[in-house]
Amino acid sequence: ILSTLIAGPEVGVLLLVLRLVGMPMGLVGSSISQVYSVELGKKSNEKHVKKITFDLMKQLFIYGSIGLTTISLIIFFGSEIIFGSDWQGVGEMIFLFLPWYIFQLIASPVSIVLLAENYFHRSLLLQIFGAALRIFPLLFFSSFQFIGPIELFAICGFIFYVIYCVTIAITLKSLKSQQ
């Protein structure tokens, strides 16, 4: 859908940006998720689950923000050297997607807690909501031309992952602690 709303070379820049940061972030997030899953398997009670999850989310916010901002700065200032002058816009677009990527890095590794605590329906509804949040605004707002489709896509991704993080936090707060 997005590629039908974007003209020419911007599509290539968008795909490069999505892959450039998305692939290493996916590897890091997957590794963190595996370690986190092992810790969840050792859980003694809900208090332990809350603590390790909130601690991990906090650490991911701090270190993930630093890491992703550093990578973004390197790409921003070095994109012409790295990719050539034909790929102008890569650095700017990476900064546009930075808030989304930070919250995705926080939510993705700990999202398994929804399944571990038997909130399958909540996880499914979040995924459906996320797809709808990315598709429908693009279809609706693209005809108004007051915001570009790439900017709208970045905003919708950011909103989705913030909602995902909040949902995880609310779910954890609602768990009853076993003494």
Side-chain angles (χ1 to χ4, degrees), residues 43-107:
K43 72 177 182 180
S44 55
N45 59 33
E46 283 78 7
K47 190 174 183 179
H48 176 71
V49 171
K50 288 179 189 180
K51 181 176 177 3
I52 64 169
T53 305
F54 283 130
D55 286 350
L56 180 57
M57 289 175 81
K58 186 172 102 176
Q59 289 173 353
L60 286 170
F61 179 75
I62 294 167
Y63 298 117
S65 296
I66 292 169
L68 287 170
T69 302
T70 303
I71 290 169
S72 297
L73 284 169
I74 291 168
I75 293 171
F76 180 78
F77 290 111
S79 63
E80 193 169 322
I81 296 167
I82 297 168
F83 304 113
S85 60
D86 292 341
W87 291 94
Q88 281 185 317
V90 170
E92 293 86 4
M93 203 177 290
I94 283 195
F95 272 106
L96 182 65
F97 284 89
L98 184 60
W100 166 2
Y101 282 139
I102 290 171
F103 279 89
Q104 182 180 355
L105 184 63
I106 297 166

Side-chain angles (χ1 to χ4, degrees), residues 64-179:
S65 296
I66 292 169
L68 287 170
T69 302
T70 303
I71 290 169
S72 297
L73 284 169
I74 291 168
I75 293 171
F76 180 78
F77 290 111
S79 63
E80 193 169 322
I81 296 167
I82 297 168
F83 304 113
S85 60
D86 292 341
W87 291 94
Q88 281 185 317
V90 170
E92 293 86 4
M93 203 177 290
I94 283 195
F95 272 106
L96 182 65
F97 284 89
L98 184 60
W100 166 2
Y101 282 139
I102 290 171
F103 279 89
Q104 182 180 355
L105 184 63
I106 297 166
S108 293
V110 298
S111 64
I112 192 85
V113 75
L114 296 175
L115 304 176
E117 296 299 326
N118 294 318
Y119 286 97
F120 301 103
H121 63 285
R122 198 170 285 184
S123 181
L124 176 63
L125 289 174
L126 270 171
Q127 295 305 319
I128 293 169
F129 171 74
L133 182 64
R134 291 183 187 144
I135 294 170
F136 293 122
L138 284 173
L139 295 175
F140 181 72
F141 289 113
S142 64
S143 60
F144 293 113
Q145 300 295 323
F146 65 87
I147 186 169
I150 292 175
E151 291 83 1
L152 185 60
F153 187 62
I155 291 167
C156 290
F158 169 70
I159 290 169
F160 170 65
Y161 281 106
V162 167
I163 290 171
Y164 213 127
C165 288
V166 169
T167 302
I168 290 169
I170 289 170
T171 301
L172 289 171
K173 293 274 187 190
S174 71
L175 295 178
K176 295 180 181 161
S177 295
Q178 296 174 354
Q179 299 298 330

